[in-house]
Amino acid sequence: NMDVNDTRTPDSPDLVVPDNGSVFGEDNSDIYFEWDAINESDCASPIEEYRIEVCSDANCSNVVWDDNTSSTSQSHDFNPGSYYWRVAARDEAGNPSSWDNANWTEIRSFGIYEQDVTDCEWHNQSGSAISSIEACDDARGYIETTGYPAGTEFTIKIYEDDIAFNDYETSCTVSIDASGDGYCEWTAVWDDDNTFNDDDESPPNRLLTYFFKVEYNGSEMCVSDNMDVNDTRSPDSPDLVVPDNGSVFGEDNSNISFDWSPVNESDCASP
């Protein structure tokens, strides 16, 4: 007789979800895990079970939850915190005899955090916080969040801060990145609606002040500080029309008519 043994440890499966670095809110703490099945050769022992381990450290030396299953998916509810996970397989021949000797997958991370918008402020194009800007320059409505996955969209609503009431100007959408930050851009407008704040001065130093609100699913999450919009740029010179350069008139036509083209300021500038 000839004995046929299968002592080869199965390869590691490929992880599917969650992606590495995924972020979940406290209301979505029942985490779904999935990985691809391992297809052993027809001549080898088939896969009997998989083991998933979720750990509190990046080396997966401190396992906080584990499970053996014949399926290629599993779910579990976790407390808020940072976690790491991996998967290995065992075949019907008992390989590996110990999970310590298994071929484990890569270790992926995920986190469960309280969902909040932690900061919102005006930025310039360099990414620095600002409290004033020149009309027609682009400002950024910048937000910092925690607990939301990358790609989550927030609405920024921009208002002019008036004495009587706050005029709604416009809105833009912020899609946050993996770090939970994001911004949208707005061209600062000098908009003379004849309503000014108590600290506004007479032209040409009159200030217009704007702030923005951050909304998510209709709920207000954050309100920025005010940003003054100034228009300190002198208008371009108009084009002269008549009289032409060097025109000559007689004494009986001494009532001279002058005409020039209007200067058309940008919509974002003081008219």
Side-chain angles (χ1 to χ4, degrees), residues 83-240:
Y83 297 95
Y84 305 84
W85 70 290
R86 64 180 184 176
V87 176
R90 173 179 285 160
D91 62 23
E92 292 182 359
N95 303 306
S97 59
S98 169
W99 290 111
D100 290 337
N101 300 321
N103 287 323
W104 289 96
T105 63
E106 61 176 318
I107 297 176
R108 289 186 179 180
S109 67
F110 68 93
I112 302 171
Y113 308 107
E114 178 185 0
Q115 291 181 317
D116 193 17
V117 176
T118 56
D119 193 19
C120 57
E121 57 186 10
W122 292 106
H123 280 190
N124 59 21
Q125 291 297 294
S126 300
S128 300
I130 56 175
S131 58
S132 65
I133 195 170
E134 187 71 17
C136 300
D137 286 350
D138 289 334
R140 294 177 177 178
Y142 171 79
I143 68 172
E144 294 179 359
T145 72
T146 182
Y148 295 96
T152 300
E153 292 186 344
F154 296 81
T155 300
I156 281 183
K157 292 185 175 180
I158 299 170
Y159 296 84
E160 182 190 338
D161 186 12
D162 282 342
I163 297 173
F165 58 90
N166 297 322
D167 294 338
Y168 169 74
E169 291 292 322
T170 187
S171 64
C172 56
T173 300
V174 176
S175 180
I176 61 171
D177 57 24
S179 64
D181 305 340
Y183 65 86
C184 62
E185 294 187 347
W186 172 67
T187 300
V189 177
W190 198 98
D191 185 12
D192 188 353
D193 64 357
N194 298 318
T195 305
F196 297 93
N197 294 322
D198 291 334
D199 58 354
D200 289 339
E201 302 174 9
S202 300
N205 298 316
R206 192 162 48 184
L207 299 177
L208 288 166
T209 302
Y210 294 86
F211 66 93
F212 65 84
K213 297 179 180 180
V214 182
E215 293 187 0
Y216 178 68
N217 287 341
S219 297
E220 184 178 302
M221 306 294 293
C222 186
V223 179
S224 77
D225 289 336
N226 286 346
M227 177 183 69
D228 295 331
V229 175
N230 308 300
D231 186 351
T232 62
R233 297 183 178 101
S234 296
D236 294 335
S237 60
D239 293 326
L240 301 182

Side-chain angles (χ1 to χ4, degrees), residues 240-270:
L240 301 182
V241 178
V242 291
D244 292 332
N245 186 38
S247 295
V248 176
F249 303 90
E251 286 183 310
D252 58 349
N253 193 21
S254 60
N255 187 17
I256 310 301
S257 175
F258 299 89
D259 189 16
W260 55 91
S261 297
V263 175
N264 295 315
E265 292 274 78
S266 300
D267 292 340
C268 52
S270 171

